[in-house]
Structures are given as structure tokens and as C-alpha cells.
């Protein structure tokens, strides 16, 4: 199931022509789901599972936050048409505000998740995880927004007691969670498939369906057995089963498990007429926990799989680069080994040919032939060498982290003996620049050497960050108290600047109060997939 | 002034190649001697007047540049030509700029270029030695006067520059002429350029 890395950032809120049919379909679907939800309604809460919330989240996630106001308008229109909002009477305003609240909080939840995770690294920011977090944040925000609104607009609460408030808000959150996690994933999968043109098969463990079905059935049977024994409908067995399935087989399997469990539980809670509202709420809280845990487990497993795949890919690339390097070094060595004896051979062959020139003998013919071949071989070695040399100098795509690490290693080797240290901050691992590797490493080494030499404690630090289409490498050292006469002549910086400028970059000195800082900017060529 | 024919030293840790290049040069009328270690060549410096040395850069015991520095410190009048099987731009620049190499030849060696470089080197060495032998007999002050003289300065200018009287300059000049057995400024200038 495809999911966006983060909600798209859109500045323009104006609707586009192609949004209109989408909003029409949305209004219709919203009305239908809204109606379907009332089957699980109860006193003090609207419904114990609310699929319309899933639809809302999926649409906002896929199409971007700019649609938020338009979805809210569509929902209000639908509510008016279906009569959910009375058009006359004193309740109109409160109904409108109440109906707009979920849309607003859903938008806020998505924006907050995006803002929270933007620019951070770690397993939480890898694709399926943000959606999982947004799916939890949206219902919580929605529920939390109720009391302040009640207080602001109605002064006198419609709830009779604190217990009522808790039941109502919990019911609301639980209903949204169930609705979102059951409906949003398949909608997003479908939307992604339509975008991509083909229906990508979700990652389902082939032939392991049985292995997943067994714990599922077992947990349901255990639940049933516990209920028979008079212990009530307990969610714990399903919790275990769901976590197990999600962790083992990812989101697709998790979603199937969620759907199956939700089907069983919801059917039960809708059909069990004798159930009290409190029992039903308890059951649904349990179900929400099951669904959340299962989904997060599935997302986590998928993220892990994706990270592992990325890691493997990087390892392969590095291995390949390493092998190419070895091959290059080997071919240079071979050229050298060949050129040494060939020098002697070519000179002697030419001499032999000259000695025998003009003689109409077999010997002269042999000598001429040997000389010709030796000259041809010499020419080939020269050509090969030129080719190899250019290859080495040609700009190639190099991971930034590798460049910086190489430079640090070179400097660390000579700095270590003098008790100096370079502090290397964590580098973004996926940035790639198009550079002449050896030259750029030289530029970095020069800057690092300067920083170490100028630092009173013999420490320097390196960090890197992206800035638009550029990557900035910041090399800093603590400022000396008074200017000392360095041992160098300032040539290192000039060389570094020449190299970096030849690559379309810049070196700028950007000191702050405590540190001397040189900022090396290079055009970014891409990001590792 | 030396009258014996300048020797060309060929230094390569691959003895076969050194011998081959030396034979090639001898065929072209040059006095050439092969060496397979820097130490051997440096040992022979005292007994033999080299005009030019062709040296490999990557050698086992002593790298070609270190050898060049050792050679220069003992005899600054020897021309140097480098040859290598591992050509790099950085080395080529170093060879010419820092170590005073006349040329930087890639193996397999281009014969014509080698011969041209060696002939140029020998001629340069001859000039250098000639200038050295002329100026060797000068005092320090005479050397200063000579250097300014051949650059076209008048007696008065030289006196101002060196903060001595014009009369003293004239004395030095007379001494220089006597020592070099020359006749007039034109010959002195020719001497300073190593022309016979």
C-alpha cells in the first residue's frame, strides 16, 4: 500500500477544476458512510466506529492539506442535504461548528505530524510511519477539541456529568480510530494505484496466509471462550494476535487482520441488543487498541523492511565502487608493469631495425616486424594510460558522506599523533554530489588542516546540511584568544577555493562569536533512493 | 673550464632499461653510463663530470626527487631529465618546477624527445659550468659588480646600488676584466650567458 512520505505542502488554497468531481464523490461517500455509522450509535456518542473519518484522512493525505477547507464545506453541504444539520432553529450554529470540527482537527493533525517529522531522521520518519502517527493524532485532536468548543459556545454543557464527557470523547476518538485505520489504508492504496497507472500488488506473504490466519482464529476463539466463561469480551488475545501478524508480515497482513477482527467485533456489538452502552464502549476501546497496535506493528515492520532494502542497496553500491576502485588501481599497475620492459624492448627493436635496414634478408624482415609491433604496443599503453587518467579525473557521482569521511580519515591520521581531534557530526547519508573525488577530498583536507592549526585546543568540527539545491559543509574551530601566526602560508585555502569554485560551489567564511567557520557549498546532484 | 666530454648518466632501478637507454645515447654520439642505483651514481660524481642525468622517479631505495635534491646539492651544474612509468600531472609539475627537471618523459620512452631533452641538458650544463668557472675566481663584491654590469647598469648606477664609490666600481671592473681576460662589455655579457 503506497503512502506519501508526508502530506504535500501546498500554498494555494484555491480549488482546481479537477477537484470538483472529487469533492462531489467525496460528499456522496461521506453522506453514505455517515449514515452507515449510526448503526453503532449510542447515548452520549454518535457512533462507535466512524468510517467517514478514514475517508477524510485518506483524501487529505493523498491530495494535500490545501483541500481541508473544501472538504469541510462539502461535509457541511452534505450534512445540510441529509438533514443532519437543521437549517432552522437555534441549533444550526452549534451543529455547523460541531460538523466542521473534525475536518479542521484532521487538517491540524496532519500538519502537526508533518511539521514534527520534517527534517528529522530515524525510523519514525520512514514512509509508512508518518501515516500511522497521523492516524492516531487525528482522532485525539478531534476529541480534545470538543471541550473547549463546548465551553466557548454553549456555556452550559449538554453533558450531565464528567463521566458522560469521558464516555462521549472516548467514543468519538475510538470511532475515528477504527474508521481511519479500516478505511484509509485501502483508499490510499487504490489512489496510489490509480496515480501509478497500475495496481501494485500489496506485499502479502504468499502461502503464509494460513500462518497468519491461525493466530487470528486462535485469538478470536480465546476471546469467545473467555466471554463464555463470563469474563466479558476481552481484547487482550486479539492484541497479541494482531501485533504478531503485523510485526511478522507488514501492513497488508495487518490490515487484513484488522478488517477481520473489526468485522467480528463490530458485527457482534451491532447485533448484541442486550449490550449496555458502557459495555459496548469498553468493547470498542479494546478494539481500538487492537487496531492501533496491529497497524503500528505492521507499519513498523514495513519500515524496517524498507530500511533494510535501502541499506542493502547502499552496501551494494559501495561494494561496487570499491571494486571499481580496485580494478582501476589494478589496471594502472598492469600498465606500469608492462610499460617498464616495453621501454627497453621498443628501443632495442628500433635499433635492430635500423641496423638491418636495407638488407634484403629474413633477419631484416623479422627486425622490422618486431619494431612495428613494439611501437604499436607502446602506442596502446600510452592511449590506455591517457584513458585511465582522464577517467580518474572525470567528475562522478559521489556520496557526500564518503567524501567528508575520507578527508577526516586523512587528517585524523596526521592529527592523531599531535593530539588533535576532528569531531565529525552525523552526516545525511543519502546526499550525492557530482565532483572530482580526489580534488574535492583535497579541498576538504586543506580546510580541516587549517581549522586544526588555528584551533587553540587542537579541535575542529565538521557538519553538513542541505540548503535548497546546495549542500553546505561547515568546518569550524574554536577561536583563538589572540591571532597567532600560523605555520602555513594560506595556500591551502586558495587551493580549496579554486577546486570548489571549479565545481560550481563557494567557500565563505562565516564566523560567529565563539568559532571560526568556513562554509563550503556545493551544488547537490541528487539524493540516494 | 672543463674540456672533457660531459657524461650522461642513466639511472633506473631496472638495469636493463638503463643499459638500453645508455646504449641508445652512445649510438647518437653521447658519452653515456648506466646506473641501477642512485647511490652508485652519487658515488661517481666526484670522479666523473656529468652533463645530464636521466633518472627514473619510482625507484626502490631512493625516490627520483630525493635523488634529484641530493644531486643538486653536490653538483648544481648537472641537467636533469625525469622518466616514469607512473605519470601524474602533479609529478610532472613537481619534476619541472621544484626539482628543476628539463623534461618529464613517460615510459615507453619517445626516442626523439629523449634525445632532444638530453642534448638540451648537456648544452645547458656546459654553459653553467663555463659561467661557474669564470665567476669562481671573483670575490663576493666582484660578483655583485659583474652581475649588475652584464645587466646593463652604468658604473654610477652600480656605485649607488652597492653604496660604494664609482672609483671602487672601476677598480672591481678592471679586476674582472683581468681575471676573465675579456675585452669590453660585450664579451662580459657573452660570458655571463655561458657563451664561449
Amino acid at each position: 500500500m503506497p503512502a506519501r512520505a508526508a502530506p504535500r505542502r501546498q500554498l494555494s488554497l484555491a480549488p482546481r477544476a479537477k477537484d470538483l468531481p472529487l469533492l462531489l464523490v467525496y460528499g456522496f461517500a461521506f453522506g453514505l458512510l455517515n449514515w452507515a455509522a449510526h448503526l453503532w450509535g449510542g447515548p452520549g456518542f454518535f457512533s462507535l466506529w466512524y468510517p467517514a473519518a478514514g475517508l477524510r484522512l485518506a483524501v487529505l493525505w493523498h491530495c494535500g492539506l490545501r483541500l481541508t477547507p473544501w472538504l469541510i464545506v462539502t461535509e457541511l453541504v452534505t450534512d445540510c442535504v441529509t438533514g443532519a444539520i437543521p437549517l432552522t432553529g437555534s441549533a444550526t450554529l452549534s451543529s455547523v461548528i460541531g460538523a466542521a470540527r473534525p475536518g479542521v482537527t484532521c487538517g491540524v493533525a496532519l500538519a502537526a505530524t508533518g511539521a514534527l517529522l520534517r527534517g528529522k531522521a530515524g525510523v519514525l520518519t520512514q514512509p509508512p510511519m508518518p501515516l500511522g502517527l497521523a492516524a492516531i493524532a487525528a482522532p485525539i485532536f478531534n476529541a480534545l477539541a470538543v471541550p473547549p468548543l463546548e465551553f466557548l459556545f454553549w456555556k452550559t454543557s449538554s453533558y450531565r456529568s464528567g463521566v458522560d464527557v469521558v464516555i462521549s470523547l472516548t467514543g468519538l476518538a475510538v470511532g475515528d480510530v477504527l474508521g481511519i485505520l479500516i478505511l484509509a489504508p485501502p483508499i490510499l492504496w487504490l489512489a496510489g494505484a490509480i496515480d501509478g497507472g497500475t495496481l501494485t500488488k500489496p506485499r502479502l506473504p504468499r502461502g503464509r496466509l494460513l500462518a497468519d490466519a491461525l493466530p487470528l482464529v486462535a485469538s478470536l476463539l480465546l476471546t469467545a471462550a473467555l466471554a463464555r466463561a463470563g469474563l466479558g469480551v476481552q481484547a487482550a488475545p486479539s492484541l497479541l494476535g494482531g501485533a504478531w501478524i503485523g510485526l511478522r508480515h507488514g501492513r497488508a497482513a495487518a490490515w487484513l487482520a484488522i478488517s477481520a477482527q473489526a468485522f467480528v467485533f463490530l458485527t457482534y456489538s451491532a447485533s448484541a441488543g442486550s449490550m449496555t452502552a458502557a459495555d459496548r464502549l469498553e468493547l470498542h476501546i479494546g478494539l481500538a487498541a487492537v487496531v492501533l497496535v496491529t497497524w503500528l506493528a505492521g507499519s513498523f515492520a514495513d519500515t524496517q523492511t524498507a530500511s533494510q532494502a535501502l541499506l542493502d542497496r547502499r552496501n551494494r553500491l559501495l561494494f561496487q565502487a570499491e571494486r571499481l576502485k580496485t580494478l582501476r588501481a589494478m589496471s594502472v599497475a598492469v600498465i606500469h608493469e608492462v610499460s617498464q620492459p616495453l621501454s627497453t624492448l621498443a628501443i632495442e627493436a628500433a635499433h635492430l631495425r635500423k641496423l638491418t635496414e636495407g638488407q634484403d634478408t629474413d633477419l631484416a624482415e623479422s627486425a622490422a616486424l618486431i619494431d612495428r609491433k613494439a611501437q604499436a604496443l607502446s602506442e596502446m599503453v600510452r592511449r590506455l594510460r591517457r584513458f585511465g587518467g582522464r577517467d580518474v579525473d572525470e567528475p562522478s557521482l559521489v556520496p557526500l558522506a564518503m567524501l567528508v569521511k575520507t578527508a577526516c580519515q586523512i587528517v585524523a591520521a596526521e592529527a592523531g599523533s599531535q593530539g588533535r581531534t576532528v569531531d565529525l557530526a552525523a552526516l545525511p547519508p543519502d546526499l550525492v554530489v557530482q565532483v572530482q573525488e580526489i580534488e574535492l577530498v583535497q579541498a576538504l583536507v586543506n580546510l580541516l588542516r587549517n581549522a586544526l592549526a588555528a584551533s587553540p585546543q587542537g579541535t575542529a568540527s565538521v557538519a553538513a546540511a542541505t540548503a535548497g539545491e546546495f549542500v553546505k559543509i561547515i568546518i569550524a574551530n574554536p577561536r583563538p584568544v589572540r591571532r597567532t601566526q600560523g605555520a602555513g602560508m594560506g595556500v591551502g585555502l586558495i587551493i580549496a577555493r579554486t577546486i570548489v569554485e571549479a565545481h560550481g560551489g563557494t567557500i565563505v567564511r562565516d564566523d560567529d562569536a565563539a568559532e571560526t567557520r568556513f562554509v563550503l557549498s556545493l551544488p547537490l546532484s541528487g539524493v540516494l533512493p | 673550464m672543463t674540456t672533457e666530454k660531459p657524461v650522461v648518466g642513466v639511472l633506473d632501478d631496472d638495469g636493463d632499461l638503463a643499459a638500453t637507454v645508455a646504449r641508445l645515447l652512445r649510438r647518437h654520439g653521447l658519452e653515456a653510463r648506466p646506473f641501477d642505483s642512485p647511490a652508485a651514481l652519487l658515488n661517481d660524481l666526484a670522479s666523473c663530470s656529468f652533463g645530464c642525468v636521466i633518472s627514473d622517479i619510482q625507484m626502490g631505495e631512493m625516490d627520483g626527487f630525493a635523488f634529484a635534491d641530493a644531486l643538486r646539492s653536490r653538483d648544481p651544474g648537472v641537467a636533469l631529465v625525469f622518466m616514469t612509468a607512473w605519470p601524474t600531472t602533479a609529478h610532472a609539475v613537481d619534476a619541472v618546477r621544484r626539482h628543476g627537471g628539463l623534461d618529464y618523459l613517460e615510459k615507453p620512452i619517445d626516442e626523439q624527445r629523449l634525445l632532444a631533452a638530453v642534448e638540451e641538458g648537456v648544452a645547458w650544463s656546459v654553459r653553467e659550468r663555463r659561467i661557474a668557472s669564470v665567476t669562481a675566481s671573483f670575490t663576493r663584491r666582484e660578483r655583485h659588480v659583474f652581475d649588475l654590469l652584464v645587466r646593463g647598469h652604468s658604473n654610477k648606477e652600480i656605485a649607488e646600488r652597492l653604496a660604494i664609490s664609482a672609483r671602487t666600481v672601476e677598480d672591481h671592473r678592471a679586476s674582472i676584466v683581468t681575471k676573465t681576460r675579456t675585452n669590453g662589455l660585450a664579451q662580459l655579457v657573452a660570458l655571463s650567458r655561458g657563451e664561449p
Side-chain angles (χ1 to χ4, degrees):
Chain A
M1 273 172 247
R4 303 277 150 169
R8 285 188 208 161
R9 265 193 140 174
Q10 299 280 356
L11 291 175
S12 160
L13 287 174
R16 298 165 195 169
K18 68 180 173 101
D19 290 342
L20 287 175
L22 173 77
L23 289 175
L24 265 178
V25 173
Y26 179 77
F28 182 73
F30 179 79
L32 198 68
L33 293 172
N34 215 2
W35 169 80
H38 89 274
L39 295 175
W40 286 272
F45 46 82
F46 175 66
S47 172
L48 279 173
W49 90 291
Y50 192 64
L55 179 68
R56 184 191 297 125
L57 185 104
V59 171
L60 284 185
W61 186 267
H62 187 72
C63 301
L65 287 176
R66 71 187 172 85
L67 272 185
T68 311
W70 306 107
L71 285 195
I72 294 170
V73 169
T74 312
E75 287 175 14
L76 289 177
V77 170
T78 311
D79 282 345
C80 290
V81 171
T82 57
I85 295 178
L87 291 176
T88 53
S90 58
T92 304
L93 180 67
S94 66
S95 300
V96 166
I97 291 172
R101 188 198 63 239
V104 173
T105 51
C106 183
V108 170
L110 287 187
T113 316
L116 201 69
L117 299 182
R118 194 167 296 126
K120 298 225 176 83
V123 78
L124 281 185
T125 61
Q126 304 278 337
M129 286 313 270
L131 179 63
L133 295 180
I136 298 169
I140 293 174
F141 279 34
N142 189 17
L144 288 181
V146 173
L149 284 176
E150 292 270 334
F151 180 74
L152 276 178
F153 291 98
W154 291 279
K155 311 289 186 200
T156 54
S157 175
S158 53
Y159 301 123
R160 283 160 307 183
S161 68
V163 178
D164 270 0
V165 175
V166 171
I167 288 184
S168 172
L169 296 190
T170 317
L172 187 65
V174 165
D176 277 7
V177 166
L178 289 181
I180 287 172
L181 287 182
I182 290 172
L183 211 62
I187 292 178
L188 283 173
W189 174 64
L190 267 178
I194 292 166
D195 271 5
T198 51
L199 230 62
T200 47
K201 208 169 178 251
R203 198 178 61 87
L204 259 186
R206 259 174 250 254
R208 292 206 209 131
L209 275 178
L210 190 67
D212 280 346
L214 273 178
L216 190 67
V217 170
S219 64
L220 287 174
L221 284 177
L222 187 57
T223 311
L226 289 174
R228 272 285 163 80
L231 293 170
V233 183
Q234 295 292 331
S238 294
L239 204 66
L240 282 176
W244 170 261
I245 292 168
L247 280 178
R248 270 175 61 97
H249 296 131
R251 280 172 305 157
W255 184 78
L256 286 179
I258 289 171
S259 302
Q261 309 228 34
F263 178 75
V264 172
F265 276 87
L266 289 176
T267 317
Y268 171 72
S269 84
S271 61
S274 60
M275 233 183 188
T276 64
D279 282 349
R280 186 176 280 177
L281 183 63
E282 192 190 332
L283 174 66
H284 281 231
I285 290 174
L287 179 57
V290 171
V291 165
L292 272 180
V293 165
T294 310
W295 182 250
L296 284 182
S299 295
F300 187 77
D302 274 4
T303 308
Q304 290 290 51
T305 314
S307 320
Q308 192 56 47
L310 190 68
L311 207 66
D312 288 347
R313 206 180 123 78
R314 263 183 215 152
N315 280 346
R316 271 201 307 279
L317 277 178
L318 275 180
F319 176 68
Q320 232 161 29
E322 199 56 41
R323 215 165 46 175
L324 269 179
K325 225 188 222 164
T326 315
L327 209 67
R328 196 185 278 162
M330 254 173 58
S331 64
V332 169
V334 167
I335 290 172
H336 162 71
E337 292 303 332
V338 169
S339 69
Q340 188 69 24
L342 187 58
S343 296
T344 310
L345 188 64
I347 292 172
E348 297 297 349
H351 176 48
L352 204 58
R353 187 183 50 93
K354 244 173 240 160
L355 282 181
T356 55
E357 221 162 27
Q359 295 177 20
D360 190 19
T361 59
D362 195 32
L363 181 66
E365 218 169 286
S366 291
L369 198 61
I370 292 170
D371 179 47
R372 208 163 61 232
K373 292 296 165 196
Q375 301 308 331
L377 202 54
S378 303
E379 194 46 48
M380 194 184 80
V381 165
R382 285 189 198 109
R383 248 206 329 263
L384 270 178
R385 184 178 280 147
R386 235 168 284 140
F387 175 75
R390 199 179 52 219
D391 200 16
V392 170
D393 277 342
E394 216 151 50
S396 52
L397 290 172
V398 191
L400 181 84
M402 200 168 92
L403 279 180
V404 177
K405 275 182 196 151
T406 310
C408 285
Q409 276 162 6
I410 291 173
V411 175
E414 55 192 45
S417 57
Q418 300 158 22
R420 297 163 188 262
T421 52
V422 178
D423 174 27
L424 178 60
L427 298 165
D430 48 3
L431 302 180
V432 174
V433 284
Q434 168 115 15
V435 293
Q436 289 167 305
E437 192 185 338
I438 297 163
E439 289 201 351
L440 214 80
V441 167
Q442 184 65 54
L444 285 170
V445 164
N446 288 1
L447 290 181
L448 278 169
R449 278 187 187 144
N450 283 357
L452 281 176
S455 163
Q457 293 91 28
T459 56
S461 66
V462 190
T466 52
E469 317 235 313
F470 281 76
V471 56
K472 287 183 186 300
I473 305 168
I474 299 130
I475 294 164
N477 62 271
R479 260 192 175 168
V481 184
R482 62 194 167 80
R483 240 188 96 77
T484 47
Q485 188 63 44
M489 297 189 294
V491 178
L493 178 61
I494 295 170
I495 292 173
R497 185 163 278 151
T498 312
I499 293 172
V500 170
E501 281 170 4
H503 284 94
T506 54
I507 294 181
V508 179
R509 186 170 175 164
D510 180 25
D511 291 5
D512 62 16
E515 285 186 314
T516 306
R517 289 153 44 101
F518 281 96
V519 181
L520 191 160
S521 302
L522 277 175
L524 206 52
S525 288
V527 168
L528 276 182
Chain B
M1 249 184 255
T2 53
T3 48
E4 61 186 282
K5 204 171 173 186
V7 174
V8 180
V10 183
L11 173 61
D12 195 307
D13 57 351
D14 173 0
D16 286 344
L17 182 60
T20 290
V21 172
R23 282 178 53 225
L24 170 74
L25 295 174
R26 261 181 256 143
R27 287 199 291 276
H28 285 86
L30 290 151
E31 190 67 47
R33 283 176 55 187
F35 296 89
D36 60 6
S37 85
L41 198 152
L42 292 173
N43 267 341
D44 281 13
L45 262 187
S47 60
C48 168
S49 163
F50 287 98
C52 179
V53 169
I54 306 162
S55 169
D56 190 18
I57 292 177
Q58 288 82 12
M59 288 180 291
E61 46 187 299
M62 190 185 210
D63 139 279
F65 292 148
F67 163 75
D69 293 341
L71 180 67
R72 274 283 138 76
S73 66
R74 288 167 211 214
D75 185 352
V78 184
L80 262 166
V81 174
F82 291 105
M83 56 183 178
T84 182
W86 296 85
T88 65
T89 317
H91 262 167
V93 172
D94 275 5
V96 172
R97 293 193 58 181
R98 292 188 42 199
H99 303 283
L102 272 177
D103 206 347
Y104 178 81
L105 304 167
E106 288 181 21
K107 291 177 188 171
I109 296 161
D110 182 332
E111 281 186 29
Q112 295 312 311
R113 195 165 153 181
L114 171 75
L115 288 169
V118 170
E119 266 155 31
E120 190 191 339
V122 169
W124 176 86
S125 170
V126 166
R127 278 199 308 275
E128 277 299 298
R129 292 195 193 287
R130 209 175 271 142
I131 297 167
S133 71
V134 166
T135 54
S137 56
F138 290 171
T139 63
R140 200 167 55 85
R141 192 55 105 184
E142 281 166 5
R143 177 77 210 226
H144 289 158
V145 174
F146 175 75
D147 284 345
L148 290 170
L149 210 53
V150 297
R151 264 181 256 153
H153 293 287
S154 69
N155 284 3
K156 200 173 155 206
E157 282 167 356
I158 296 170
E160 275 168 18
R161 282 228 183 178
L162 300 178
I164 50 181
S165 73
R167 182 65 202 265
T168 319
V169 174
E170 267 171 43
D171 286 348
H172 286 311
R173 196 168 164 169
S175 163
I176 289 169
V177 168
T178 316
K179 281 180 178 169
T180 55
R181 287 190 288 274
T182 48
N183 189 8
L185 188 62
Q187 281 188 10
L188 276 182
V189 171
L191 250 185
S192 76
R193 293 182 184 153
E195 288 162 19

